[in-house]
Amino acid sequence: MESCAVLILAAGQGTRMRSSLAKVLHPLAGRPLLGHILHTVRQLLPERLVVVVGHQAERVQAAFPDEGILWVFQPEQLGTAHAVSCALPDLAGQQGELLILSGDTPLIELTMLKSLLQWHRQHKNGVTVVSTKLDNPAGYGRIVRDSAGLLQRIVEEKDASAVEKALTEVNSGIYCVDLLRLPHWLQQISANNAQREYYLPDLLALAVREKCAGVVFHEEALSLSGVNDRQQLAVLEKLLRDRLVAQWQSRGVTFIDPSSCWLASDVLIGQDTVIEPNVILGSETVIGEECWIGPFCEIRSSQIGSGCRIKGFCHLEGAVLDGNNEIGPYARLRPGTVLAETARVGNFCELKKAHIGEGSKINHLSYIGDTTMGRNVNVGAGTITCNYDGQHKHKTIIEDSVFIGSDTQLVAPVRIGERAVIGAGTTVTKEVPAEALAVSRTAQTHIAHWHKKRPQ
Ligand code: UD1
Ligand code: CA
């Protein structure tokens, strides 16, 4: 399909959100509203991609540092038609169609945009708008048709008569416009209305006069929903979650209770992975095949290789599991944790900046930080790497096949040579040579007949 130019309007504050954050930066499934639209329109490979910003312009731009966006500044938000006028200089020299979208309708689909373009081209329209039907059309512009059903104009809610307010066919805010005729129409739009704003929907009435306006009706209203307040944001969050779950189900992922899980839109999940109830999978997370994610786990910015079992109530952030690992329940893996294949971490263990070698086990109640651990190490219950002296962090190195007894402190910086054994209750403060036994506790003594000698 021939390409087009795309213009996204994102200058408004979003007053109804009641937020100090610009509306288009509010996240939905872990990605800003505007990010969803950019993600969709990029798939059209537009010849030019222009975004109009105004409110918190710098912050919005900074959120999308990727190349390929022409940013246009609208100093005052005088209305959607004014926003488009501000972008005209950046569209100069561009011919053909311009798709105009709002930054606050994040769930629009590529197929819908393609059929809009196709319809517009087939009918050789000057302007085509996408409409839908809503049971509750409050807040939207209404599509006004004549008795023969032909489009006349769009009226905004605040300017509508009681009869017009009862109309349920609404303007989606998505338009396809002939770029050559656009400037001439924009000049004719005035702010003579209830909101004293330049309304972009007024384009339709102008094009109707020139017999080149069209409407494409889109059945699936939810994907055209705009986010104007927090209730609408929550409705779309749920809708998108259902879409994402369905997408992963169709690729062979089981969700035991889909409605209790939440996943970011960029998460990837491998086939035959099973996800138990109440799981959160945050942005930048990749899960391999045949994994089992137990209930109440929260996993963010992490890579989970295939065949992993993550038992209930684990918390992972910035962790990498190479594959066939078993962790939890109640394990906390902080940024910089890397588990080589088959390494295991059990209950009530915290790991941070720790590389754990293949087959090593840290099964109970331990803190391992700033550590490099070799293969087949056994870490006993209650082992602590004392990595912080109050000012600096220090490293612990544990070589292959070391055995660490329970209730042990490893005061960093320190190295434990391969196959060394650390006796239970030991505080290690200096390097342990390979194959040695390190014990620092005092020898056990007995006082005979203590039972009788004890004061009663
Ligand atoms: C708009 C339409 C309405 C339609 C609805 C669909 C107008 C006048 N009304 O209403 O017919 O049913 O969308 O969702 O267009 N913006 C700017 N600069 C401005 C004003 C707005 O960039 O000066 C941007 C906003 O940031 C937003 C988009 O344009 O992303 C739409 O503006 P908004 O105020 O949300 O319009 P609605 O009241 O929803
Ligand atoms: Ca809106």
Side-chain angles (χ1 to χ4, degrees), residues 230-248:
R230 309 258 182 173
Q231 278 84 18
Q232 288 169 336
L233 184 65
V235 169
L236 293 206
E237 185 79 62
K238 185 175 176 307
L239 186 75
L240 184 51
R241 193 266 318 275
D242 291 346
R243 262 196 206 173
L244 291 168
V245 165
Q247 174 194 317
W248 290 113

Side-chain angles (χ1 to χ4, degrees), residues 16 23 102 104-105 226-228:
R16 292 163 277 180
K23 174 164 71 177
S102 297
D104 65 352
T105 49
V227 174
N228 294 315

Side-chain angles (χ1 to χ4, degrees), residues 43-111:
Q43 297 171 60
L44 280 173
L45 306 174
E47 280 168 21
R48 230 175 271 197
L49 175 54
V50 186
V51 181
V52 182
V53 283
H55 187 78
Q56 289 186 2
E58 283 178 15
R59 216 167 150 182
V60 176
Q61 275 175 255
F64 303 96
D66 15 359
E67 289 173 29
I69 300 176
L70 285 167
W71 297 98
V72 169
F73 185 62
Q74 184 192 20
E76 265 185 293
Q77 282 71 64
L78 302 178
T80 41
H82 178 255
V84 176
S85 302
C86 291
L88 285 182
D90 284 84
L91 292 162
Q94 182 76 34
Q95 290 195 349
E97 300 85 9
L98 176 68
L99 279 182
I100 306 178
L101 313 166
S102 297
D104 65 352
T105 49
L107 298 191
I108 51 161
E109 286 165 310
L110 188 64
T111 47

Side-chain angles (χ1 to χ4, degrees), residues 392-404:
H392 300 105
K393 300 279 171 64
H394 299 283
K395 281 210 70 173
T396 299
I397 296 168
I398 304 169
E399 295 181 354
D400 292 350
S401 304
V402 163
F403 182 94
I404 301 177

